[in-house]
């Protein structure tokens, strides 16, 4: 039986929903407490309503459930973050610092912080982006996540907190429709293809971005969190790569399943965000340190998406 008592914040989100299920399958449903600012429609284990900025409530939850591990997924993503930058800073960074301060005093052993390819900016090399490189993000999402990465490194070295983190590419999954991100098109496109056989994309045809299938994102998270501490050489956040493609390339792949599918392009403000990000990622450190290897490329992911969405 697992000795881990896990808290997942932002558990109703795109990654949270699937990660909570995976953790429950691994550690037992009662050992994984899901939390979110909004009520949950599913209840396969304990759930608490939690505004991540409410420190008193957070303290109660950690104490009441004797939490030993935290996966802090609550965040405001790149596109939504631009509508309210100060709120984004508070939710993405100040709430994280509150958690780190609490963790120093509590018997919490390990914590997980999701970072993003959104930390990369105009000065970052666009192809095969190295782990250590120029990082000048242009969105408040990227700024707050980059600050979080540096805070991770600080708390690890100063207070020995066992913090682990991944820079996720855009995540694609069939379990939910994401909102507020720049890579959301790559999920929306499947739903529109099935329902309407057409999709109007908010990015230009040739905008290549790093992406990852949800199963690989979960696999990487569990691998990282299970790795022995002496294998973790990056305490800011690990680069992670799944695949890279553009809207026109995914549309071509979708046409193999729905030949009449048509894509149109109407770029909006998210195009500028996407242009500041990189196209492909060098994740050698994740491969060397905790044996990371993705299972899905564009073709395999597209097939799996259609199989699952058609259920
Ligand atoms: C977003 O588009 O904001 C996110 C991300 C890449 O972190 N999906």
């Amino acid at each position: 039986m697992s000795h881990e008592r896990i808290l997942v914040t932002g558990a109703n989100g795109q990654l949270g929903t699937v990660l909570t299920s995976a953790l429950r399958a691994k550690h037992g449903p009662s050992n994984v407490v899901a939390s979110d600012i909004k009520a949950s429609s599913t209840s396969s284990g304990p759930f608490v309503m939690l505004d991540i900025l409410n420190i008193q409530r957070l303290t109660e939850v950690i104490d009441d459930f004797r939490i030993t591990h935290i996966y802090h997924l609550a965040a405001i993503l790149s596109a939504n973050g631009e509508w309210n930058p100060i709120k984004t800073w508070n939710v993405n960074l100040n709430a994280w610092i509150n958690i780190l301060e609490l963790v120093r005093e509590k018997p919490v052993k390990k914590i997980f912080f999701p970072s993003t390819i959104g930390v990369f900016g105009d000065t970052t090399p666009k192809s095969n982006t190295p782990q250590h490189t120029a990082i000048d993000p242009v969105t408040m999402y990227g700024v707050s996540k980059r600050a979080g990465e540096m805070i991770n490194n600080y708390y690890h070295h100063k207070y020995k907190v066992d913090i682990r983190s991944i820079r996720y590419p855009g995540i694609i999954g069939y379990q939910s429709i994401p909102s507020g991100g720049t890579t959301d098109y790559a999920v929306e496109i499947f739903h529109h293809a099935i329902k309407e056989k057409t999709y109007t994309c908010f990015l230009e045809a040739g905008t290549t971005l790093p992406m990852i299938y949800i199963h690989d994102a979960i696999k990487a998270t569990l691998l990282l969190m299970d790795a022995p501490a002496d294998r973790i050489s990056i305490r800011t956040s690990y680069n992670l790569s799944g695949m890279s493609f553009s809207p026109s390339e995914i549309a071509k792949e979708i046409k193999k399943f729905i030949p009449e599918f048509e894509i149109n392009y109407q770029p909006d403000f998210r195009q500028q965000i996407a242009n500041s990000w990189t196209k492909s990622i060098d994740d050698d450190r994740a491969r060397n340190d905790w044996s990371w290897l993705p299972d899905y490329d564009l073709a395999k992911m597209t097939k799996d998406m259609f199989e699952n969405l058609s259920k």
Side-chain angles (χ1 to χ4, degrees):
M1 198 55 199
S2 174
H3 297 298
E4 294 187 15
R5 304 271 304 162
I6 297 168
L7 172 64
V8 182
T9 72
N12 291 349
Q14 189 200 14
L15 180 61
T17 322
V18 190
L19 184 62
T20 301
S21 301
L23 290 168
R24 283 184 173 155
K26 189 167 174 209
H27 298 281
S30 61
N31 288 321
V32 181
V33 182
S35 72
D36 204 285
I37 197 161
K38 292 193 198 118
S40 170
S41 50
T42 53
S43 58
S44 57
F47 178 85
V48 291
M49 295 268 281
L50 178 65
D51 175 347
I52 202 60
L53 290 165
N54 185 338
I55 306 176
Q56 196 190 327
R57 181 79 184 113
L58 181 63
T59 312
E60 283 164 13
V61 172
I62 292 176
D63 289 344
D64 291 353
F65 290 94
R66 291 174 285 109
I67 295 299
T68 60
H69 291 63
I70 300 175
Y71 292 73
H72 174 57
L73 307 185
I76 299 178
L77 300 186
S78 56
N80 272 357
E82 293 309 291
W83 300 120
N84 196 339
I86 299 305
K87 183 173 173 197
T88 303
W89 176 262
N90 286 334
V91 169
N92 291 2
L93 188 74
N94 287 339
W96 179 231
I97 295 178
N98 291 342
I99 292 180
L100 290 171
E101 278 298 296
L102 276 179
V103 161
R104 282 175 55 201
E105 300 160 7
K106 309 250 170 232
V108 176
K109 295 191 177 73
K110 232 184 256 182
I111 52 180
F112 178 77
F113 176 81
S115 189
T116 165
I117 54 160
V119 297
F120 299 125
D122 295 327
T123 55
T124 308
K126 296 279 179 210
S127 295
N128 214 21
T129 304
Q131 176 70 44
H132 297 291
T133 186
I135 299 185
D136 303 308
V138 300
T139 60
M140 184 49 92
Y141 176 55
V143 169
S144 57
K145 287 292 184 179
R146 178 58 180 155
E149 291 185 355
M150 292 165 83
I151 287 286
N152 293 350
N153 204 41
Y154 180 82
Y155 271 74
H156 175 71
H157 287 103
K158 185 151 177 104
Y159 302 117
K160 309 285 169 250
V161 181
D162 191 352
I163 309 170
R164 302 175 182 208
S165 175
I166 285 173
R167 289 177 183 149
Y168 290 113
I171 298 176
I172 298 150
Y174 49 86
Q175 296 90 340
S176 61
I177 304 180
S179 71
T182 303
T183 57
D184 294 358
Y185 91 84
V187 180
E188 288 173 11
I189 194 169
F190 283 97
H191 293 267
H192 286 254
I194 289 169
K195 283 197 209 116
E196 292 138 31
K197 319 278 180 244
T198 173
Y199 177 63
T200 302
C201 184
F202 56 77
L203 296 182
E204 285 163 5
T207 313
T208 300
L209 288 172
M211 301 279 185
I212 193 166
Y213 197 37
I214 185 79
H215 297 316
D216 275 338
I218 301 295
K219 174 181 162 180
T221 311
L222 299 182
L223 272 176
L224 170 63
M225 288 300 271
D226 285 347
D230 60 6
R231 298 297 305 163
I232 308 298
S233 66
I234 303 290
R235 290 292 181 171
T236 48
S237 190
Y238 275 95
N239 274 9
L240 190 78
S241 175
M243 61 189 92
S244 286
F245 59 78
S246 64
S248 64
E249 285 165 338
I250 193 173
K252 201 168 150 204
E253 207 55 45
I254 287 174
K255 270 175 174 282
K256 292 182 186 165
F257 294 82
I258 305 179
E260 63 274 40
F261 175 66
E262 292 293 340
I263 185 165
N264 307 297
Y265 301 96
Q266 262 175 36
D268 64 16
F269 73 101
R270 289 168 280 193
Q271 183 64 48
Q272 215 184 335
I273 298 177
N275 289 348
S276 76
W277 292 353
T278 65
K279 295 180 191 305
S280 61
I281 304 287
D282 173 351
D283 62 358
D284 269 5
R285 293 296 279 265
R287 288 172 189 244
N288 290 335
D289 288 1
W290 34 276
S291 309
W292 159 246
L293 259 190
D295 291 327
Y296 288 85
D297 60 12
L298 176 58
K300 191 171 170 194
M301 173 195 78
T302 306
K303 183 168 178 286
D304 203 64
M305 281 292 282
F306 278 118
E307 274 168 20
N308 281 288
L309 288 173
S310 64
K311 283 178 198 161

